[in-house]
Amino acid sequence: RRVHGGMSHTSELWEDEQIFANQLKSIHHEKPPVSTTSIESIARLAFVQRAFYKHVVMHVEKFARKCRSDHRLTALRIIDAICRKMQKFVKAKLKKHSSSRVRNTYSERFSQNMPIIIQHLTDGTSKDYKSMRRIFDLWVKTSLFSIESVRPFFEIAKFPIPTPSDYVDEKDEED
């Protein structure tokens, strides 16, 4: 047995894994765009099961790899919702306890595998590239992911690779 994050578990899969996997599978049957409620439900379950973040990321990556082309944006929206929920939690924890060692494990893990995820999501048609670019730009601007982690998308889509100065707000420049 290993203890992680105050929860003990064996190397077996976590108790709610099938529920999480089924929620992801159910999205395949929804017609895009998938409802925000469905995506938030997945993000909520991922947040509750954050001790098993590696398994959650694996399932989301599998979804991104196997999803139809009309669900590629949905895969990005799921990653976005999960990482933002965790980012909000981390910021709240750090605000209460500045010495807290809490980190956004989801962003870290997705970041490691982002080139592969991007490769799956950009395989084939380029009709969603503009929408994908908005999501990637937002991730970098809000520090959810670094420019380096999303660079493969800009290279594949043949968009100019952004620089840090591209994400400076006008308000920040005035200060």
Side-chain angles (χ1 to χ4, degrees):
R1 287 194 157 227
R2 298 179 316 197
V3 176
H4 179 71
M7 300 174 68
S8 71
H9 58 280
T10 63
S11 61
E12 295 175 15
L13 302 176
W14 86 93
E15 188 177 313
D16 293 328
E17 180 181 23
Q18 199 56 49
I19 294 168
F20 186 80
N22 288 340
Q23 279 191 332
L24 280 173
K25 285 178 189 173
S26 71
I27 287 182
H28 285 292
H29 303 293
E30 288 188 41
K31 187 177 179 187
V34 174
S35 73
T36 303
T37 307
S38 295
I39 290 173
E40 282 301 315
S41 174
I42 289 169
R44 212 173 10 263
L45 187 56
F47 177 75
V48 169
Q49 300 298 326
R50 63 188 175 273
F52 303 98
Y53 70 94
K54 290 179 182 179
H55 296 285
V56 170
V57 169
M58 177 200 66
H59 281 287
V60 174
E61 287 175 348
K62 183 177 177 183
F63 174 82
R65 186 175 60 246
K66 292 186 173 195
C67 70
R68 299 185 320 255
S69 62
D70 58 346
H71 278 297
R72 290 177 179 168
L73 283 176
T74 303
L76 283 180
R77 288 179 60 210
I78 290 169
I79 293 169
D80 182 69
I82 291 170
C83 292
R84 283 186 188 285
K85 191 167 231 18
M86 191 66 183
Q87 185 181 42
K88 188 176 179 182
F89 172 75
V90 168
K91 283 184 178 180
K93 277 285 198 188
L94 291 175
K95 195 173 185 179
K96 282 184 177 181
H97 311 285
S98 60
S99 63
S100 180
R101 292 175 36 174
V102 179
R103 61 190 218 278
N104 190 337
T105 52
Y106 282 117
S107 286
E108 291 172 10
R109 191 66 174 193
F110 279 119
S111 187
Q112 287 176 4
N113 304 329
M114 193 57 70
I116 296 165
I117 295 168
I118 289 171
Q119 185 178 358
H120 290 302
L121 296 178
T122 56
D123 193 24
T125 181
S126 62
K127 74 179 181 95
D128 292 329
Y129 281 5
K130 285 184 181 179
S131 299
M132 288 179 175
R133 181 182 183 169
R134 276 189 235 119
I135 293 170
F136 289 125
D137 280 339
L138 188 61
W139 285 355
V140 173
K141 188 173 184 172
T142 60
S143 301
L144 206 55
F145 294 97
S146 69
I147 291 173
E148 286 306 309
S149 10
V150 298
R151 175 187 287 272
F153 168 76
F154 290 95
E155 291 170 349
I156 291 168
K158 295 183 175 55
F159 285 123
I161 297 171
T163 62
S165 62
D166 294 336
Y167 297 105
V168 175
D169 284 340
E170 293 172 15
K171 291 176 188 175
D172 293 341
E173 289 176 352
E174 292 172 4
D175 291 338

